[in-house]
Amino acid sequence: EDKVVQSPLSLVVHEGDTVTLNCSYEVTNFRSLLWYKQEKKAPTFLFMLTSSGIEKKSGRLSSILDKKELFSILNITATQTGDSAVYLCAVEEGDDKIIFGKGTRLHILP
Amino acid sequence: DGGITQSPKYLFRKEGQNVTLSCEQNLNHDAMYWYRQDPGQGLRLIYYSQIVNDFQKGDIAEGYSVSREKKESFPLTVTSAQKNPTAFYLCASWGGLQPQHFGDGTRLSIL
């Protein structure tokens, strides 16, 4: 059973739209949640979240964690074609174990 | 510059053959990881190691083996028991306070 579930699995929107990507998790001994963007090769880091309710922001991207409801969202406003990628959510459990969801494949139409 | 080096970038395996993927880091990170990624999929954890001479199975360890004789190195062997090895393999390291660093990956194909 998947411990980290991302939704939707794929999403196609037009440039300029706002998108919200979801990540829910069910792990013991949660320590942090991470978001990555993957284009061709290695994932690139976006955010690390450890505390509930504190929004992290970087340009048009923002993310927030709800440790009570066990989920996180990643928002991208005013999307651009360069935002097209797979967005990966990962959760760090105790003992340094880091597990990933299946990812959301985002495609931005010009 | 500190980072993770995976080699080779592309690897071809014949049926019944074992192959070893290299992963080296100079970040002085204690923890290292191997993930497998299939087309259109996320990353699945194969093995991880928190410290030298110790490692734990991830979710899909069958058909793979690892060693951690040095802090810098965490090679992954894809054995002949892995019947569907064609995938993109990513190595990562983690120092605890920063997010994981990833290598550029090795793409393994079957001849």
Side-chain angles (χ1 to χ4, degrees), chain B residues 6 21-23 33-35 45-47 74-76 89-91:
Chain B
Q6 286 188 244
L21 284 59
S22 169
C23 178
Y33 305 78
W34 275 105
Y35 294 94
L45 183 63
I46 305 172
Y47 269 99
F74 192 41
L76 173 75
Y89 291 87
L90 280 165
C91 177

Side-chain angles (χ1 to χ4, degrees), chain A residues 49-57 63-65:
Chain A
L49 303 156
T50 55
S51 302
S52 268
I54 299 174
E55 185 183 49
K56 294 236 176 160
K57 201 168 167 62
S63 183
I64 198 160
L65 173 68

Side-chain angles (χ1 to χ4, degrees), chain B residues 32-53:
Chain B
M32 295 187 75
Y33 305 78
W34 275 105
Y35 294 94
R36 169 183 171 139
Q37 188 174 35
D38 292 284
Q41 300 289 318
L43 277 60
R44 291 187 290 168
L45 183 63
I46 305 172
Y47 269 99
Y48 68 108
S49 167
Q50 294 171 272
I51 199 166
V52 174
N53 292 323

Side-chain angles (χ1 to χ4, degrees), chain A residues 31-43:
Chain A
R31 286 163 72 168
S32 67
L33 184 144
L34 305 105
W35 284 97
Y36 289 86
K37 177 183 182 183
Q38 185 181 28
E39 293 177 88
K40 294 233 188 303
K41 291 184 180 175

Side-chain angles (χ1 to χ4, degrees), chain A residues 31-32 34 36 38 40-43 45 48 86 88 90 92 94-103 105, chain B residues 9 31 33 35 37 40-43 45 48 50 57-59 88 90 94 97-100 102-104 107:
Chain A
R31 286 163 72 168
S32 67
L34 305 105
Y36 289 86
Q38 185 181 28
K40 294 233 188 303
K41 291 184 180 175
F45 170 74
M48 176 187 271
V86 175
L88 297 165
E92 180 208 345
D95 295 333
D96 295 339
K97 188 176 183 182
I98 299 176
I99 51 177
F100 282 76
K102 287 186 167 65
R105 184 171 295 275
Chain B
K9 287 195 184 327
Y33 305 78
Y35 294 94
Q37 188 174 35
Q41 300 289 318
L43 277 60
L45 183 63
Y48 68 108
Q50 294 171 272
K57 292 183 179 180
D59 299 322
F88 185 55
L90 280 165
W94 190 54
L97 297 177
Q98 303 289 327
Q100 279 178 313
F102 284 88
D104 283 339
R107 197 166 296 279

